[in-house]
Amino acid sequence: MNTAAFFDIDGTLYRNSLMIEHFKKMVKYEIIDPALWHTSLKNAFTEWRKRVGEYDDYMMELVNTYYDALKGRRVADLEFISNQVVTLHGDIVYKYTRSRILWHKLQGHKVFFISGSPDFLVSKMADKYNIDGYRGTGYLVDQEGRFTGEVVPMWDSDSKNNAIDEIVKEFDIDLTQSFAYGDTNGDFSMLSRVGHPVAINPARELLLNIKSTPELASRAKVIIERKDLVYELDASVKIISEDQLHI
């Protein structure tokens, strides 16, 4: 049986969101009306940047606008922009995660991306890092090659769990010897199923769920990368509550 390493992309490898960069480029090239930013997204983005709003609120606003903007557009017409996202931003990654991908390849492990970003962007990241396979959110197209507005999600824990089932079967993977890397609660099932789970700059919900699952907490590593420093913690790390932040 083979050992595998499963990597989320946004926030785990890439230091932002591939979908956000794709959206921004569509605004730049006026494929999306710039007014949509000001009418639909600017307030949510500003609140998040000030750390008084939630990132998930901003992302949900963005996702809904993004779906509407893609609907009816030809995939081929956006190919240049999709390539630009990975060409210009594909190296803006966490050095810890980048080094782990290389390490796994040197060990002869199978490497996979399982990401909530659009599959047409995830595929380009997979090519860039020359890995064995990937799963991303499917943006469905019709017979004319136009986006229908329908999606098959890959950002939630259940979808990633199903993706792992498919990969295990196809590549004969031994999960007890395998690794997974993620940063949000959508990665919880992925981390739970492997022998070597690693939470990278984890979101509060993910870390709380790891801490409340003793068997997983005993195996999990927590990696924090900030500025020029990478350090490792275990799941017993203390979380400062919202109430403790208020003086």
Coordinates of all heavy atoms in Angstrom, one line a residue, residues 91-165:
D91 N 3.6 31.0 -6.3 CA 4.7 30.9 -5.5 C 4.6 31.6 -4.1 O 5.5 31.6 -3.3 CB 6.0 31.4 -6.2 CG 6.4 30.5 -7.3 OD1 6.4 29.3 -7.1 OD2 6.8 31.1 -8.4
I92 N 3.4 32.3 -4.0 CA 3.2 33.0 -2.7 C 2.6 32.0 -1.7 O 1.4 32.0 -1.5 CB 2.3 34.2 -2.9 CG1 2.9 35.2 -4.0 CG2 2.1 35.0 -1.6 CD1 2.0 36.3 -4.4
V93 N 3.5 31.2 -1.1 CA 3.0 30.1 -0.3 C 3.8 30.1 1.0 O 4.8 30.8 1.2 CB 3.3 28.8 -1.1 CG1 2.5 28.7 -2.4 CG2 4.8 28.5 -1.4
Y94 N 3.3 29.3 1.9 CA 4.0 29.1 3.2 C 5.2 28.2 2.9 O 5.0 27.1 2.3 CB 3.0 28.5 4.2 CG 2.0 29.4 4.7 CD1 0.6 29.3 4.3 CD2 2.3 30.5 5.5 CE1 -0.3 30.2 4.7 CE2 1.3 31.4 6.0 CZ 0.0 31.2 5.6 OH -0.9 32.1 6.0
K95 N 6.3 28.6 3.4 CA 7.5 27.8 3.2 C 7.5 26.5 3.9 O 8.1 25.5 3.4 CB 8.8 28.6 3.6 CG 8.9 29.1 5.0 CD 10.1 29.9 5.2 CE 10.3 30.4 6.6 NZ 11.5 31.3 6.8
Y96 N 6.8 26.4 5.0 CA 6.7 25.1 5.7 C 6.0 24.1 4.8 O 6.5 23.0 4.6 CB 6.0 25.3 7.0 CG 5.7 23.9 7.7 CD1 6.6 23.3 8.4 CD2 4.4 23.3 7.4 CE1 6.4 22.0 9.0 CE2 4.2 22.0 8.0 CZ 5.2 21.4 8.8 OH 4.9 20.2 9.3
T97 N 4.9 24.5 4.2 CA 4.1 23.6 3.4 C 4.8 23.3 2.1 O 4.8 22.1 1.7 CB 2.7 24.3 3.1 OG1 2.2 24.8 4.3 CG2 1.7 23.2 2.5
R98 N 5.4 24.2 1.5 CA 6.2 24.0 0.3 C 7.3 23.0 0.6 O 7.5 22.0 -0.2 CB 6.8 25.3 -0.2 CG 7.6 25.2 -1.5 CD 8.1 26.5 -1.9 NE 8.9 27.1 -0.8 CZ 9.1 28.5 -0.7 NH1 8.4 29.3 -1.5 NH2 9.8 28.9 0.3
S99 N 8.0 23.1 1.7 CA 9.0 22.1 2.0 C 8.5 20.7 2.3 O 9.1 19.7 2.0 CB 9.8 22.6 3.3 OG 9.1 22.5 4.5
R100 N 7.3 20.7 2.9 CA 6.7 19.4 3.1 C 6.3 18.7 1.9 O 6.4 17.4 1.7 CB 5.5 19.5 4.1 CG 5.8 20.0 5.5 CD 6.8 19.1 6.2 NE 6.2 17.8 6.5 CZ 6.9 16.8 7.0 NH1 8.2 16.9 7.2 NH2 6.3 15.6 7.3
I101 N 5.8 19.4 0.9 CA 5.5 18.8 -0.4 C 6.7 18.2 -1.0 O 6.7 17.0 -1.5 CB 4.9 19.8 -1.4 CG1 3.5 20.3 -0.9 CG2 4.8 19.3 -2.8 CD1 2.9 21.4 -1.7
L102 N 7.8 18.9 -1.0 CA 9.1 18.4 -1.5 C 9.5 17.2 -0.7 O 10.0 16.2 -1.3 CB 10.2 19.5 -1.4 CG 11.6 19.0 -1.9 CD1 11.6 18.5 -3.3 CD2 12.6 20.2 -1.7
W103 N 9.4 17.2 0.6 CA 9.8 16.1 1.5 C 9.1 14.8 1.1 O 9.6 13.7 1.0 CB 9.7 16.4 2.9 CG 10.1 15.3 3.9 CD1 11.4 15.1 4.3 CD2 9.3 14.3 4.5 NE1 11.4 14.0 5.1 CE2 10.1 13.5 5.3 CE3 7.9 14.1 4.5 CZ2 9.6 12.4 6.0 CZ3 7.4 13.0 5.2 CH2 8.3 12.2 6.0
H104 N 7.7 15.0 1.0 CA 6.9 13.8 0.7 C 7.3 13.2 -0.7 O 7.3 12.0 -0.8 CB 5.4 14.2 0.7 CG 4.9 14.4 2.1 ND1 4.8 13.3 3.0 CD2 4.4 15.5 2.7 CE1 4.2 13.8 4.1 NE2 4.0 15.1 4.0
K105 N 7.6 14.1 -1.6 CA 8.0 13.6 -3.0 C 9.3 12.8 -2.9 O 9.4 11.7 -3.5 CB 8.1 14.7 -4.0 CG 6.7 15.4 -4.3 CD 6.9 16.7 -5.0 CE 6.6 16.6 -6.4 NZ 6.7 17.9 -7.1
L106 N 10.2 13.3 -2.1 CA 11.5 12.6 -1.9 C 11.3 11.3 -1.2 O 12.1 10.4 -1.4 CB 12.5 13.5 -1.1 CG 13.0 14.8 -1.8 CD1 13.8 15.7 -0.9 CD2 13.8 14.4 -3.1
Q107 N 10.3 11.2 -0.4 CA 10.1 9.9 0.3 C 9.3 8.9 -0.6 O 9.1 7.8 -0.2 CB 9.2 10.1 1.6 CG 9.8 11.1 2.6 CD 11.3 10.8 3.0 OE1 11.5 9.6 3.4 NE2 12.2 11.7 2.8
G108 N 8.9 9.4 -1.7 CA 8.2 8.5 -2.6 C 6.7 8.4 -2.3 O 6.0 7.5 -2.8
H109 N 6.2 9.4 -1.5 CA 4.8 9.4 -1.1 C 4.0 10.0 -2.3 O 4.4 10.8 -3.1 CB 4.6 10.2 0.1 CG 5.3 9.7 1.3 ND1 5.5 10.5 2.5 CD2 5.9 8.5 1.6 CE1 6.1 9.8 3.4 NE2 6.4 8.6 2.9
K110 N 2.7 9.6 -2.3 CA 1.7 10.2 -3.2 C 1.3 11.5 -2.7 O 1.0 11.6 -1.5 CB 0.5 9.3 -3.5 CG 0.9 7.9 -4.0 CD 1.3 8.0 -5.5 CE 1.5 6.6 -6.1 NZ 2.1 6.6 -7.4
V111 N 1.2 12.6 -3.5 CA 0.8 13.9 -3.0 C -0.5 14.3 -3.7 O -0.5 14.3 -5.0 CB 1.9 14.9 -3.2 CG1 1.5 16.3 -2.7 CG2 3.2 14.5 -2.5
F112 N -1.4 14.8 -2.9 CA -2.7 15.2 -3.5 C -3.1 16.6 -2.9 O -2.9 16.9 -1.8 CB -3.8 14.2 -3.2 CG -3.5 12.8 -3.7 CD1 -2.9 11.9 -2.8 CD2 -3.8 12.4 -5.0 CE1 -2.6 10.6 -3.2 CE2 -3.5 11.2 -5.4 CZ -2.9 10.3 -4.5
F113 N -3.7 17.4 -3.8 CA -4.4 18.6 -3.3 C -5.9 18.3 -3.2 O -6.5 17.8 -4.2 CB -4.2 19.8 -4.3 CG -2.8 20.4 -4.3 CD1 -2.4 21.1 -5.4 CD2 -1.9 20.2 -3.3 CE1 -1.1 21.6 -5.5 CE2 -0.7 20.7 -3.3 CZ -0.2 21.4 -4.4
I114 N -6.5 18.7 -2.1 CA -8.0 18.6 -1.9 C -8.4 20.0 -1.5 O -8.2 20.4 -0.3 CB -8.4 17.5 -0.9 CG1 -7.9 16.2 -1.4 CG2 -9.9 17.5 -0.8 CD1 -8.3 15.0 -0.5
S115 N -9.0 20.8 -2.3 CA -9.2 22.2 -2.1 C -10.6 22.6 -2.5 O -11.2 22.1 -3.4 CB -8.2 23.0 -2.9 OG -8.5 24.4 -2.9
G116 N -11.1 23.6 -1.7 CA -12.4 24.2 -2.0 C -12.4 25.2 -3.2 O -13.4 25.7 -3.6
S117 N -11.2 25.6 -3.6 CA -11.0 26.5 -4.8 C -11.6 25.8 -6.0 O -11.7 24.6 -6.1 CB -9.6 26.9 -4.9 OG -9.3 28.0 -4.1
P118 N -11.9 26.6 -7.1 CA -12.4 26.1 -8.3 C -11.4 25.1 -8.9 O -10.2 25.3 -8.9 CB -12.5 27.3 -9.2 CG -12.7 28.5 -8.3 CD -11.9 28.1 -7.1
D119 N -12.0 24.0 -9.4 CA -11.1 22.9 -9.9 C -10.2 23.3 -11.1 O -9.1 22.8 -11.3 CB -12.0 21.7 -10.4 CG -13.1 22.0 -11.3 OD1 -13.3 23.2 -11.7 OD2 -13.9 21.1 -11.7
F120 N -10.7 24.3 -11.9 CA -9.9 24.8 -13.0 C -8.6 25.6 -12.5 O -7.7 25.7 -13.3 CB -10.7 25.6 -14.0 CG -11.4 26.8 -13.5 CD1 -10.8 28.0 -13.3 CD2 -12.7 26.7 -13.0 CE1 -11.5 29.1 -12.8 CE2 -13.4 27.8 -12.5 CZ -12.8 29.0 -12.4
L121 N -8.7 26.1 -11.3 CA -7.5 26.7 -10.7 C -6.6 25.7 -9.9 O -5.4 25.7 -10.0 CB -7.9 27.8 -9.8 CG -8.6 29.0 -10.4 CD1 -9.0 30.0 -9.3 CD2 -7.8 29.7 -11.4
V122 N -7.3 24.8 -9.2 CA -6.6 23.7 -8.5 C -5.8 22.9 -9.5 O -4.6 22.5 -9.1 CB -7.6 22.9 -7.7 CG1 -6.8 21.7 -7.0 CG2 -8.3 23.7 -6.6
S123 N -6.3 22.6 -10.6 CA -5.6 21.8 -11.6 C -4.3 22.4 -12.0 O -3.3 21.7 -12.2 CB -6.5 21.5 -12.8 OG -6.7 22.7 -13.6
K124 N -4.3 23.7 -12.1 CA -3.1 24.5 -12.5 C -2.0 24.5 -11.4 O -0.8 24.4 -11.7 CB -3.4 25.9 -13.0 CG -4.3 25.9 -14.2 CD -4.7 27.3 -14.6 CE -5.7 27.3 -15.8 NZ -5.2 26.6 -17.0
M125 N -2.5 24.5 -10.2 CA -1.6 24.4 -9.0 C -1.0 23.0 -9.0 O 0.2 22.8 -8.7 CB -2.3 24.8 -7.7 CG -2.5 26.3 -7.5 SD -1.0 27.2 -7.2 CE -0.8 26.9 -5.5
A126 N -1.8 22.0 -9.3 CA -1.3 20.7 -9.3 C -0.3 20.5 -10.3 O 0.7 19.8 -10.1 CB -2.5 19.7 -9.5
D127 N -0.5 21.1 -11.5 CA 0.6 21.0 -12.5 C 1.8 21.7 -12.1 O 2.9 21.2 -12.3 CB 0.0 21.6 -13.8 CG -1.0 20.7 -14.5 OD1 -1.1 19.5 -14.2 OD2 -1.8 21.3 -15.4
K128 N 1.7 22.9 -11.5 CA 2.8 23.6 -11.1 C 3.7 22.9 -10.1 O 4.9 22.9 -10.2 CB 2.4 25.0 -10.4 CG 3.5 25.8 -9.9 CD 3.0 27.1 -9.4 CE 4.2 27.9 -8.8 NZ 5.2 28.3 -9.8
Y129 N 3.1 22.2 -9.1 CA 3.8 21.5 -8.1 C 4.0 20.0 -8.5 O 4.6 19.2 -7.7 CB 3.1 21.6 -6.8 CG 3.3 23.0 -6.2 CD1 2.5 24.0 -6.5 CD2 4.5 23.3 -5.5 CE1 2.7 25.3 -6.0 CE2 4.7 24.6 -5.0 CZ 3.8 25.6 -5.3 OH 4.1 26.9 -4.8
N130 N 3.6 19.6 -9.7 CA 3.9 18.3 -10.2 C 3.5 17.2 -9.2 O 4.3 16.3 -8.8 CB 5.3 18.1 -10.6 CG 5.6 16.9 -11.4 OD1 4.8 16.4 -12.1 ND2 6.9 16.4 -11.3
I131 N 2.2 17.2 -8.8 CA 1.7 16.2 -7.8 C 0.9 15.1 -8.5 O 0.7 15.2 -9.7 CB 0.9 16.9 -6.7 CG1 -0.3 17.5 -7.2 CG2 1.8 17.9 -6.0 CD1 -1.3 18.0 -6.2
D132 N 0.5 14.2 -7.7 CA -0.2 13.0 -8.3 C -1.6 13.1 -8.6 O -2.2 12.4 -9.4 CB 0.0 11.8 -7.3 CG 1.5 11.4 -7.1 OD1 2.0 10.7 -7.9 OD2 2.1 11.9 -6.1
G133 N -2.3 14.1 -8.0 CA -3.7 14.2 -8.2 C -4.3 15.3 -7.4 O -3.7 15.9 -6.5
Y134 N -5.6 15.6 -7.7 CA -6.2 16.8 -7.0 C -7.8 16.6 -7.1 O -8.3 15.8 -7.9 CB -5.9 18.1 -7.7 CG -6.5 18.3 -9.1 CD1 -7.7 18.9 -9.2 CD2 -5.8 17.8 -10.2 CE1 -8.3 19.0 -10.5 CE2 -6.4 17.9 -11.5 CZ -7.6 18.6 -11.6 OH -8.2 18.7 -12.8
R135 N -8.4 17.3 -6.2 CA -9.9 17.5 -6.2 C -10.1 18.9 -5.8 O -9.5 19.5 -4.9 CB -10.6 16.6 -5.2 CG -10.4 15.1 -5.4 CD -11.1 14.6 -6.6 NE -11.1 13.1 -6.7 CZ -10.2 12.4 -7.1 NH1 -9.1 12.9 -7.6 NH2 -10.3 11.0 -7.2
G136 N -11.0 19.6 -6.6 CA -11.4 20.9 -6.3 C -12.9 21.1 -6.4 O -13.6 20.1 -6.9
T137 N -13.4 22.2 -6.1 CA -14.9 22.5 -6.3 C -15.2 22.5 -7.8 O -14.5 23.2 -8.6 CB -15.3 23.8 -5.7 OG1 -15.2 23.7 -4.3 CG2 -16.7 24.2 -6.0
G138 N -16.1 21.7 -8.2 CA -16.4 21.6 -9.6 C -17.4 22.7 -10.1 O -18.5 22.8 -9.5
Y139 N -16.9 23.5 -11.0 CA -17.8 24.5 -11.6 C -18.3 23.9 -13.0 O -17.5 23.8 -13.9 CB -17.0 25.8 -11.8 CG -16.9 26.5 -10.5 CD1 -16.0 26.1 -9.5 CD2 -17.6 27.7 -10.3 CE1 -15.9 26.7 -8.3 CE2 -17.5 28.4 -9.1 CZ -16.6 27.9 -8.1 OH -16.5 28.6 -6.9
L140 N -19.6 23.5 -13.0 CA -20.1 22.8 -14.1 C -20.2 23.6 -15.4 O -20.5 24.9 -15.3 CB -21.4 22.2 -13.8 CG -21.4 21.3 -12.5 CD1 -22.8 20.6 -12.3 CD2 -20.3 20.2 -12.5
V141 N -20.0 23.0 -16.5 CA -20.1 23.7 -17.8 C -21.1 23.0 -18.7 O -21.3 21.7 -18.5 CB -18.8 23.8 -18.5 CG1 -17.8 24.7 -17.7 CG2 -18.2 22.4 -18.8
D142 N -21.7 23.7 -19.6 CA -22.7 23.0 -20.5 C -21.9 22.5 -21.8 O -20.7 22.6 -21.9 CB -23.8 24.0 -20.9 CG -23.3 25.3 -21.6 OD1 -22.2 25.3 -22.2 OD2 -24.1 26.3 -21.6
Q143 N -22.7 22.1 -22.8 CA -22.1 21.5 -24.0 C -21.4 22.6 -24.8 O -20.5 22.2 -25.7 CB -23.2 20.8 -24.8 CG -23.8 19.6 -24.2 CD -24.8 18.9 -25.0 OE1 -25.4 19.5 -25.9 NE2 -25.1 17.7 -24.7
E144 N -21.6 23.8 -24.6 CA -21.0 24.9 -25.3 C -19.8 25.4 -24.5 O -19.1 26.4 -25.0 CB -21.9 26.0 -25.6 CG -23.1 25.6 -26.5 CD -24.0 26.8 -26.8 OE1 -23.9 27.8 -26.1 OE2 -24.9 26.6 -27.6
G145 N -19.4 24.8 -23.4 CA -18.3 25.2 -22.7 C -18.5 26.4 -21.8 O -17.6 27.2 -21.5
R146 N -19.8 26.7 -21.5 CA -20.1 27.8 -20.6 C -20.5 27.4 -19.2 O -21.1 26.4 -19.0 CB -21.3 28.6 -21.2 CG -21.0 29.2 -22.6 CD -22.3 29.9 -23.1 NE -22.0 30.4 -24.5 CZ -21.4 31.5 -24.8 NH1 -21.0 32.3 -23.8 NH2 -21.2 31.9 -26.1
F147 N -20.0 28.2 -18.3 CA -20.4 27.9 -16.9 C -21.9 28.0 -16.7 O -22.5 28.9 -17.1 CB -19.7 28.9 -15.9 CG -18.2 28.7 -15.8 CD1 -17.3 29.6 -16.4 CD2 -17.7 27.6 -15.1 CE1 -16.0 29.4 -16.3 CE2 -16.3 27.4 -15.0 CZ -15.4 28.3 -15.6
T148 N -22.4 27.0 -16.0 CA -23.9 26.9 -15.8 C -24.3 27.6 -14.5 O -25.5 27.9 -14.3 CB -24.4 25.4 -15.7 OG1 -23.8 24.9 -14.5 CG2 -23.9 24.6 -16.9
G149 N -23.4 27.9 -13.6 CA -23.7 28.5 -12.3 C -23.9 27.4 -11.3 O -24.0 27.7 -10.1
E150 N -23.8 26.1 -11.7 CA -23.9 25.0 -10.7 C -22.5 24.6 -10.2 O -21.6 24.7 -11.0 CB -24.6 23.8 -11.4 CG -26.0 24.1 -11.8 CD -26.5 22.9 -12.6 OE1 -26.3 22.8 -13.8 OE2 -27.2 22.1 -12.0
V151 N -22.4 24.2 -9.0 CA -21.2 23.8 -8.4 C -21.3 22.5 -7.7 O -22.4 22.2 -7.2 CB -20.5 24.9 -7.5 CG1 -20.3 26.2 -8.2 CG2 -21.4 25.1 -6.3
V152 N -20.2 21.7 -7.6 CA -20.1 20.6 -6.8 C -19.0 20.9 -5.8 O -17.8 20.9 -6.1 CB -19.7 19.3 -7.6 CG1 -19.6 18.1 -6.7 CG2 -20.7 19.1 -8.8
P153 N -19.4 21.2 -4.5 CA -18.5 21.7 -3.5 C -17.4 20.8 -3.1 O -17.6 19.5 -3.1 CB -19.4 22.1 -2.4 CG -20.6 21.2 -2.5 CD -20.8 21.0 -4.0
M154 N -16.3 21.4 -2.7 CA -15.2 20.6 -2.2 C -14.6 21.4 -1.0 O -13.4 21.2 -0.6 CB -14.1 20.3 -3.2 CG -13.0 19.3 -2.8 SD -13.6 17.7 -2.2 CE -14.4 17.1 -3.7
W155 N -15.4 22.3 -0.4 CA -14.8 23.1 0.7 C -15.3 22.5 2.1 O -14.8 22.9 3.1 CB -15.3 24.5 0.6 CG -16.8 24.7 0.5 CD1 -17.7 24.5 1.4 CD2 -17.5 25.1 -0.7 NE1 -19.0 24.8 0.9 CE2 -18.9 25.1 -0.4 CE3 -17.1 25.4 -2.0 CZ2 -19.9 25.5 -1.3 CZ3 -18.1 25.7 -2.9 CH2 -19.5 25.8 -2.6
D156 N -16.2 21.6 2.1 CA -16.8 21.1 3.4 C -16.1 19.8 3.8 O -15.6 19.1 2.9 CB -18.3 21.0 3.3 CG -18.7 20.0 2.2 OD1 -18.6 20.4 1.0 OD2 -19.1 18.9 2.6
S157 N -16.3 19.5 5.0 CA -15.6 18.3 5.6 C -16.2 17.0 4.9 O -15.4 16.1 4.6 CB -15.8 18.2 7.1 OG -14.9 17.4 7.7
D158 N -17.5 16.9 4.6 CA -18.0 15.7 4.0 C -17.5 15.5 2.6 O -17.2 14.3 2.2 CB -19.6 15.8 4.0 CG -20.2 15.6 5.4 OD1 -19.5 15.1 6.3 OD2 -21.4 16.0 5.6
S159 N -17.4 16.6 1.9 CA -17.0 16.4 0.5 C -15.5 16.0 0.4 O -15.1 15.1 -0.4 CB -17.1 17.8 -0.3 OG -18.5 18.1 -0.4
K160 N -14.7 16.5 1.3 CA -13.3 16.1 1.4 C -13.1 14.7 1.9 O -12.3 14.0 1.4 CB -12.5 17.1 2.3 CG -12.4 18.5 1.7 CD -11.4 19.4 2.4 CE -11.2 20.7 1.6 NZ -10.1 21.5 2.1
N161 N -14.0 14.3 2.7 CA -14.0 12.9 3.2 C -14.3 11.9 2.0 O -13.6 10.9 1.9 CB -15.1 12.7 4.3 CG -14.9 11.5 5.1 OD1 -13.7 11.1 5.4 ND2 -15.9 10.8 5.4
N162 N -15.3 12.3 1.2 CA -15.6 11.5 0.0 C -14.5 11.5 -1.0 O -14.2 10.4 -1.6 CB -16.9 12.0 -0.6 CG -18.1 11.8 0.2 OD1 -18.2 10.9 1.1 ND2 -19.1 12.6 0.0
A163 N -13.8 12.6 -1.1 CA -12.7 12.7 -2.0 C -11.5 11.7 -1.6 O -10.9 11.0 -2.4 CB -12.1 14.1 -2.1
I164 N -11.3 11.7 -0.3 CA -10.3 10.8 0.2 C -10.7 9.3 0.0 O -9.8 8.5 -0.4 CB -10.0 11.0 1.7 CG1 -9.3 12.3 1.9 CG2 -9.3 9.9 2.4 CD1 -9.0 12.7 3.4
D165 N -11.9 9.0 0.1 CA -12.4 7.6 -0.2 C -12.0 7.2 -1.6 O -11.6 6.1 -1.9 CB -13.9 7.5 0.0 CG -14.3 7.5 1.5 OD1 -13.4 7.1 2.3 OD2 -15.5 7.7 1.8

